[in-house]
Amino acid sequence: MPGVRDFSGKVVAVTGASSGIGEATALAFARAGASVALAARRTERIEALAARIAGDGGEAIAITADVGDESQANAFVRGAHERFGRLDVLVNNAGVMLLGPIEGAPTEEWRRMIDVNIMGVLYCTHAALPLMRGQGGGDIINVSSVGGRVLGRYSGVYSLTKFGIGAFSEALRQENLATGIRVTLIEPGRVETELRTHVREEVIREIGGAFAGVEPLEADDVAEAILYAAGQPKHVSISEILLRPSNSPM
Ligand code: NDP
């Protein structure tokens, strides 16, 4: 299937661009010629990334935002559009994975996952839809997880959020058959990023062995899948990409 690798003139907004998959995706789009808007809470990280992209001859803007807050999510998406005059790709990537048993869980962890992994995606999408519709189309790329298809103990609420994003993405796709807006769900298996560093120590101790010997994906591998989807010709919609480490049991 022919796809483009030249995103010159395109505008791409990436949430969770301060590390891991979001950072790699923003860099990959910038290298492919796109202007990129970067969102995360850690201002210094996204500003440093924007400076790096500018130093390489690219164009980037850093907008500090907690995507779980509707007004901040809105301000990010609108800010990207105002700065660059259009919005071609929204990568809803920001996420947290606070694994643990359901019984006795600190319920604050559940709220954080629901706020970021679900509400963040919904708010950014809500803000992007009229902008993309107004220009005749765009791509909304939602980063889910293999945990949005396969269940295991201790991932009850994380998987709840990722299964939910799968359901939301398919409804969104069907509502946009005539608008030119495509929807893609990206479902990575284990990727070497900061994601697991936020899991409580006692939980890590219990599940630590589950991935023994697995050579994780790199953030760049996932970025590559995202660019593949966004680079397809207009009549091709890549609805779903599941990518896993080759020797991973899940
Ligand atoms: P990282 O922890 O490296 O990156 C997570 C990003 O999300 C950071 O940039 C973080 O920025 C941002 N983020 C977290 N909370 C918020 C918030 N409230 N508002 C805005 N941004 C926020 O992990 P990954 O790169 O691995 O994760 C990216 C996505 O990939 C997530 O959705 C995750 O669920 C998914 N994924 C990851 C897998 C893995 O094994 N790593 C496997 C499958 C899916 P900051 O803290 O500065 O706000």
Side-chain angles (χ1 to χ4, degrees):
M1 218 178 314
V4 298
R5 287 297 308 201
D6 181 5
F7 288 89
S8 303
K10 302 284 186 192
V11 177
V12 179
V14 182
T15 69
S18 61
S19 65
I21 295 167
E23 179 180 8
T25 301
L27 268 172
F29 271 117
R31 285 189 187 120
S35 302
V36 293
L38 318 169
R41 292 165 306 170
R42 286 173 292 177
T43 305
E44 66 293 346
R45 290 257 203 137
I46 50 174
E47 284 183 347
L49 181 59
R52 181 177 163 194
I53 289 169
D56 291 344
E59 207 171 30
I61 181 175
I63 300 176
T64 306
D66 177 340
V67 295
D69 177 297
E70 184 169 8
S71 60
Q72 294 183 43
N74 250 304
F76 167 59
V77 173
R78 285 164 190 273
H81 186 263
E82 271 162 29
R83 169 67 179 81
F84 296 121
R86 51 186 297 114
L87 178 62
D88 297 287
V89 183
L90 168 65
V91 185
N92 280 315
N93 163 76
V96 282
M97 180 185 74
L98 306 170
L99 303 176
I102 294 162
E103 185 175 347
T107 53
E108 176 52 28
E109 291 192 346
W110 296 352
R111 278 187 290 279
R112 274 185 64 200
M113 285 190 281
I114 289 168
D115 282 349
V116 182
N117 302 5
I118 295 184
M119 297 313 295
V121 175
L122 270 50
Y123 292 146
C124 289
T125 301
H126 188 255
L129 284 172
L131 305 175
M132 289 183 171
R133 181 190 272 272
Q135 68 191 19
D139 281 289
I140 295 181
I141 300 186
N142 296 329
V143 179
S144 175
S145 168
V146 68
R149 294 173 63 120
V150 179
L151 265 166
R153 68 193 183 119
Y154 298 169
S155 78
V157 179
Y158 180 67
S159 281
L160 178 158
T161 66
K162 296 301 191 181
F163 269 77
I165 288 310
F168 173 71
S169 299
E170 176 56 12
L172 185 64
R173 187 189 73 80
Q174 291 188 26
E175 287 182 24
N176 282 283
L177 301 179
T179 64
I181 300 171
R182 303 185 296 195
V183 181
T184 302
L185 190 68
I186 304 284
E187 300 163 307
R190 187 172 182 180
V191 191
E192 193 59 50
T193 67
E194 294 177 11
L195 195 73
R196 297 174 77 83
T197 63
H198 307 295
V199 179
R200 278 174 285 131
E201 201 40 58
E202 67 269 24
V203 179
I204 286 284
R205 267 199 303 275
E206 279 215 44
I207 57 174
F211 285 92
V214 169
E215 183 187 340
L217 299 170
E218 292 172 13
D220 286 339
D221 301 325
V222 185
E224 192 58 35
I226 292 171
L227 265 72
Y228 171 78
Q232 293 303 311
K234 227 174 160 186
H235 67 287
V236 178
S237 173
I238 304 290
S239 303
E240 212 168 333
I241 298 180
L242 170 64
L243 67 161
R244 308 190 246 214
S246 301
N247 65 348
S248 176
M250 66 168 283

